[in-house]
């Protein structure tokens, strides 16, 4: 009898201890958070994935992760599945800004809180929050880099944009245009590949106020975030270019993947080029070290992913959500959290990307 009692006592203590140790660990039930990212084909999202995997390991909540493989239909299927699992918070980076509205509307109907991640979902009232980098600042950093590296007048300028169905492409271009436009108007640069942009050389353009005009430009020079499309655009621009247009050229490339594709074309066609990028993808960091890509913009995905996970946990736990900024998505002002970005070139690549622990020195050939 005594033995039995002490057995139950120790079982009781062991159970109590394990509850105390796991604290509010909710990993055993259904998923509380669902994350949907657009594609594994664009290396940017693999950086986010890596960080999310670490955070998922560390959090007390059960998180389900999905990729949409570049397809809005797959994205919708992912969201429906996650909602079916009973998630409370959906973190979603849309494949296409407007097409994602239907998916998140279905989530909202089931009481799920929706956070737009990195890319804003447009035309939807189903978004509760937006976590993003300062995308206008990305474009400004790119444009400013071209300006800082140009001298004299009549410098050939080639403009390329991101996907015309991605709101970020507008914000990036808006930022770049805000600094480049006065330098186009004063003759420092001459646009070589966009009639639409050249026609607006005297006008500042913002996404909120001049979306239609920006759209005309972006549609003319869109890479669709596709490296092959970027390459063929650059090739056709070089075919049309005079010898004068191929002297040292200045190239606004929207991100690293497209920058490498475009840079490879300019490397064999132009007498020299300055080219922008963004994302600090490993391959582009090597290009920067090798002098094949002039700059990139470092967007620290560690910060973005942990901001959004903190937000999801705050929502689940009914705590105050940290969203001091606001972005309009055409239907509502979405409370947002925004993260700063850093321009990186040969001179500060070590300081920003190695010393901060983002990459290892041994990842690159110096
Ligand atoms: C992201 C960029 C990325 C691009 C292509 C944009 O929405 O902000 O970081 O390079 O999509 O994936």
């Amino acid at each position: 009898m005594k033995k039995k009692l002490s057995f139950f006592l120790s079982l009781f203590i062991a159970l109590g201890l394990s509850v105390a140790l796991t604290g509010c660990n909710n990993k055993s039930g259904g998923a509380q958070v669902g994350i949907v990212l657009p594609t594994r084909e664009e290396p940017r999202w693999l950086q986010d994935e890596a960080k999310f995997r670490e955070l998922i390991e560390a959090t007390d909540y059960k998180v389900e992760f999905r990729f949409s493989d570049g397809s809005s239909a797959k994205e919708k299927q992912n969201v429906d599945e996650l909602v079916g699992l009973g998630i409370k918070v959906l973190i979603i980076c849309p494949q296409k800004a407007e097409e994602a509205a239907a998916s998140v509307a279905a989530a909202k109907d089931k009481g799920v809180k929706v956070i737009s991640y990195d890319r804003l979902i447009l035309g939807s009232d189903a978004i509760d929050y937006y976590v993003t980098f300062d995308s206008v600042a990305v474009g400004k950093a790119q444009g400013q880099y071209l300006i800082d590296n140009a001298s004299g007048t009549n410098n050939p300028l080639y403009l390329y944009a991101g996907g015309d169905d991605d709101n970020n492409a507008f914000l990036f271009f808006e930022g770049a245009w805000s600094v480049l436009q006065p330098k186009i108007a004063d003759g420092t640069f001459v646009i070589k590949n966009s009639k639409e942009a050249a026609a607006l050389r005297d006008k500042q353009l913002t996404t909120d106020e001049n979306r239609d005009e920006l759209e005309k430009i972006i549609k003319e020079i869109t890479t669709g975030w596709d490296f092959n499309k970027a390459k063929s655009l650059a090739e056709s621009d070089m075919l049309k270019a005079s010898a004068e247009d191929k002297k040292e050229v200045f190239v606004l490339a929207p991100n690293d993947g497209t920058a490498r594709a475009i840079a490879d074309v300019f490397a064999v066609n132009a007498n020299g080029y300055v080219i922008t990028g963004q994302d600090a993808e490993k391959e582009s960091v090597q290009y920067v070290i090798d002098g094949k890509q002039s700059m990139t913009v470092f967007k620290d995905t560690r910060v973005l992913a942990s901001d959004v996970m903190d937000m999801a946990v705050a929502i689940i736990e009914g705590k105050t959500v940290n969203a001091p900024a606001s972005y309009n998505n055409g239907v509502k002002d979405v409370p947002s959290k925004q993260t700063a970005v850093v321009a990186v070139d040969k001179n500060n690549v070590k300081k920003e990307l190695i010393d901060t622990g983002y990459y290892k020195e041994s990842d690159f050939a110096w």
Side-chain angles (χ1 to χ4, degrees):
M1 181 71 190
K2 244 193 188 169
K3 245 190 181 170
K4 243 188 187 166
L5 205 78
S6 75
F7 169 75
F8 280 118
L9 202 69
S10 37
L11 192 72
F12 192 67
I13 293 173
L15 276 176
L17 203 69
S18 85
V19 168
L21 280 177
T22 45
C24 58
N25 195 319
N26 297 298
K27 280 194 164 162
S28 47
Q32 289 102 341
V33 181
I35 303 175
V36 180
L37 293 186
T39 173
R40 281 198 171 90
E41 295 295 312
E42 289 155 22
R44 153 70 208 274
W45 308 111
L46 302 179
Q47 298 180 51
D48 299 67
E49 179 188 14
K51 183 60 195 165
F52 273 125
R53 297 264 177 227
E54 280 173 32
L55 294 167
I56 291 172
E57 219 21 53
T59 180
D60 285 336
Y61 292 97
K62 192 161 175 188
V63 183
E64 284 283 336
F65 200 89
R66 299 272 193 283
F67 270 99
S68 302
D69 304 335
S71 141
S72 294
K74 179 78 190 289
E75 176 177 272
K76 173 106 180 57
Q77 188 189 326
N78 281 335
V79 172
D80 289 346
E81 264 173 40
L82 292 169
V83 171
L85 293 176
I87 55 165
K88 304 216 164 17
V89 181
L90 172 69
I91 296 169
I92 174 169
C93 179
Q95 180 61 37
K96 295 188 176 174
E98 285 172 29
E99 287 188 29
S103 312
V104 294
K108 188 192 174 192
D109 280 350
K110 293 279 184 302
V112 175
K113 294 281 178 208
V114 177
I115 311 175
S116 214
Y117 180 75
D118 191 275
R119 296 177 178 169
L120 185 59
I121 295 175
L122 297 179
S124 165
D125 67 354
I127 308 166
D128 296 283
Y129 299 101
Y130 179 37
V131 171
T132 182
F133 291 107
D134 184 344
S135 295
V136 173
V138 170
K140 265 192 195 161
Q142 295 172 330
Q144 194 57 48
Y145 196 88
L146 298 180
I147 294 167
D148 292 345
N149 285 281
S151 56
T153 55
N154 289 327
N155 294 289
L157 177 65
Y158 292 85
L159 301 170
Y160 301 97
D164 57 0
D165 45 22
D166 177 358
N167 191 54
N168 285 347
F170 287 75
L171 300 173
F172 300 144
F173 196 85
E174 169 186 338
W177 189 253
S178 72
V179 289
L180 286 173
Q181 180 268 320
K183 294 288 171 188
I184 295 162
D186 78 4
T188 306
F189 294 111
V190 181
I191 301 171
K192 292 294 169 188
N193 68 331
S194 169
K195 287 201 177 70
E196 298 289 351
L200 291 159
R201 67 197 286 274
D202 293 319
K203 193 169 174 184
Q204 281 285 304
L205 302 167
T206 69
T207 306
D208 280 348
E209 314 231 322
N210 314 94
R211 195 169 185 104
D212 292 350
E213 284 160 311
L214 277 172
E215 189 165 23
K216 276 192 195 154
I217 302 175
I218 290 172
K219 280 198 181 299
E220 192 185 19
I221 54 170
T222 182
T223 60
W225 295 128
D226 177 334
F227 316 153
N228 293 323
K229 170 113 192 269
K231 178 172 179 264
S232 55
L233 279 180
E235 281 169 348
S236 93
D237 288 339
M238 282 294 92
L239 271 179
K240 284 180 247 158
S242 67
E244 186 63 12
D245 297 345
K246 293 187 198 174
K247 64 177 197 188
E248 191 179 35
V249 301
F250 293 80
V251 187
L252 179 75
N255 75 345
D256 282 352
T258 55
R260 294 191 301 276
I262 296 167
D264 290 347
V265 174
F266 280 94
V268 293
N269 284 285
N271 290 330
Y273 60 90
V274 178
I275 190 167
T276 63
Q278 73 165 300
D279 293 331
E281 288 175 7
K282 269 192 188 166
E283 275 188 63
S284 276
V285 173
Q286 189 63 58
Y287 260 50
V288 168
I289 294 167
D290 295 343
K292 286 157 61 175
Q293 182 178 323
S294 317
M295 64 89 77
T296 184
V297 180
F298 175 36
K299 309 195 332 189
D300 192 336
T301 52
R302 296 172 299 188
V303 177
L304 207 66
S306 63
D307 275 354
V308 82
M309 283 297 283
D310 286 352
M311 204 178 249
V313 169
I315 293 170
I316 292 172
E317 295 181 355
K319 296 193 175 135
T320 310
V321 173
N322 179 13
S326 154
Y327 275 77
N328 189 283
N329 78 339
V331 172
K332 68 183 273 196
D333 288 326
V334 186
S336 306
K337 171 100 180 17
Q338 188 173 284
T339 292
V341 299
V342 184
V344 169
D345 71 358
K346 250 187 182 157
N347 299 317
N348 63 347
V349 61
K350 269 205 170 135
K351 173 172 166 268
E352 297 298 343
L353 296 174
I354 309 298
D355 299 352
T356 57
Y358 198 74
Y359 291 131
K360 294 200 281 283
E361 190 158 6
S362 57
D363 290 341
F364 304 101
W366 298 88

